[in-house]
Amino acid sequence: MRTRTTALTAATALIAGLGTTAYATPPTPTTTPPARPLAGMRILISNDDSMQAAKASNSDGLGLYELRRAVCAAGADVVVMAPWQVQSGRGTAVTNGGVLNVQQRTELPAAYRGDCSGAPSGGKVFGVCLADGPCGPDTPSATPADTVKLALRGGLAARAGWADGPDLVLTGINSGWNVSASVNDSGTVGAAVAAIDAGVPAVAFSSSGDRDFTSFPLVNYRAHAEFGARFVAGLKEEGLLTDEFAVKVDYPDVSEGQRAKPPVWTRVGDGAVAFHAYERQGTGDAFRIVLGLCDGTGECAETRPDADSTWVQRGHITVAPLTWDRTYGTSVEGRRELKQLERYVERDAPRS
């Protein structure tokens, strides 16, 4: 609970101490400075949508800039190191050879240019491409996991002066949910897993698109970013930032004026929301990759009552813990932290 205090001005205190009626000009009202609950934190942001933010559909990195804006406003020192091109669906893939170029973006999208001007690092934004030279419009991109591994293994020290690395890695905000089967494909999740694999706490954020997922409204990103900054501040305040597991946060569609429903502690679902199909082109060797939305039947069917996909489609913010450990049947590590996080989500996390 935050305690509010009121200070008397010197003149008011003197008058009060006289014990007689007195008249004075009321003090000029002061504006309460904005809360900065993330002050002192160094935060690396990456994603799998790139740092371009140029498409009308808002599917190529606009969410990253909204997240950057929100955490800078909360007082964090922020550096972005993200894929040069869209890398959606790359999971935990890494590049095994060649040269990665970390190129600073000096001309940011107009709406976001001043967001981090007061931060020690100035909110620098870097795109990472696969090139022994400058990144161009068609230059191949680093993967999401590449960007985090590079950042933590020398990139941040060389390009931002963070010799000790970040305190936290945030990934996203992704254009579209990463729930159920898509979690395995998600570069947003893959980048967060790369962070905890290196011993740095991580939170992965993904937001809904519009009704048919053809575009991703700014209002969804903004609502999620503002929630996300408060959510992370709560994790910090409660001592819940841990590298035992990553935290995945998915946000519902609020673009038609509805409010997000309270956060729910979930598991990754065993069904699917979207699927990949492969259509043969004629009688040859080529197959076209087609993406579609599931109808809830067959391999898309969800059987877990606490599935992330179920609750986010009902309008709730969903939170799920993820780990790098793919060993089936292994004992749960970080059990105490896990229980504390579940309690925080259910009782104390921001409501929307």
Side-chain angles (χ1 to χ4, degrees), residues 137-159:
D138 299 318
T139 306
S141 180
T143 71
D146 281 339
T147 66
V148 172
K149 291 176 181 287
L150 171 64
L152 300 182
R153 297 174 183 174
L156 282 172
R159 302 295 273 122

Side-chain angles (χ1 to χ4, degrees), residues 204-290:
F205 296 104
S206 302
S207 277
S208 176
D210 57 12
R211 285 192 179 190
D212 57 5
F213 275 77
T214 57
S215 65
F216 300 88
L218 171 62
V219 65
N220 285 348
Y221 289 136
R222 181 152 297 180
H224 195 172
E226 292 177 354
F227 168 84
R230 289 182 286 123
F231 181 81
V232 169
L235 296 180
K236 176 190 174 189
E237 183 178 355
E238 298 293 330
L240 296 176
L241 293 173
T242 177
D243 62 358
E244 294 283 357
F245 47 83
V247 180
K248 181 178 73 73
V249 182
D250 290 89
Y251 206 87
D253 182 19
V254 294
S255 62
E256 296 181 5
Q258 65 274 41
R259 290 177 62 86
K261 295 178 182 178
V264 177
W265 182 251
T266 63
R267 284 196 296 171
V268 174
D270 63 358
V273 173
F275 66 92
H276 292 76
Y278 306 91
E279 296 179 351
R280 191 174 186 183
Q281 303 299 288
T283 58
D285 300 329
F287 288 78
R288 182 177 300 280
I289 301 169
V290 179

Side-chain angles (χ1 to χ4, degrees), residues 3-51:
T3 302
R4 296 183 177 178
T5 60
T6 304
L8 295 174
T9 64
T12 306
L14 176 60
I15 292 168
L18 293 177
T20 59
T21 303
Y23 301 92
T25 302
T28 302
T30 57
T31 302
T32 303
R36 295 172 63 82
L38 299 181
M41 289 195 73
R42 286 180 171 178
I43 295 179
L44 168 68
I45 299 180
S46 188
N47 69 358
D48 71 0
D49 286 337
S50 86
M51 31 60 74

Side-chain angles (χ1 to χ4, degrees), residues 165-190:
D167 302 303
L168 175 67
V169 173
L170 301 180
T171 63
I173 299 170
N174 189 66
S175 57
W177 296 323
N178 280 307
V179 294
S180 298
S182 63
V183 170
N184 292 322
D185 303 327
S186 167
T188 303
V189 171

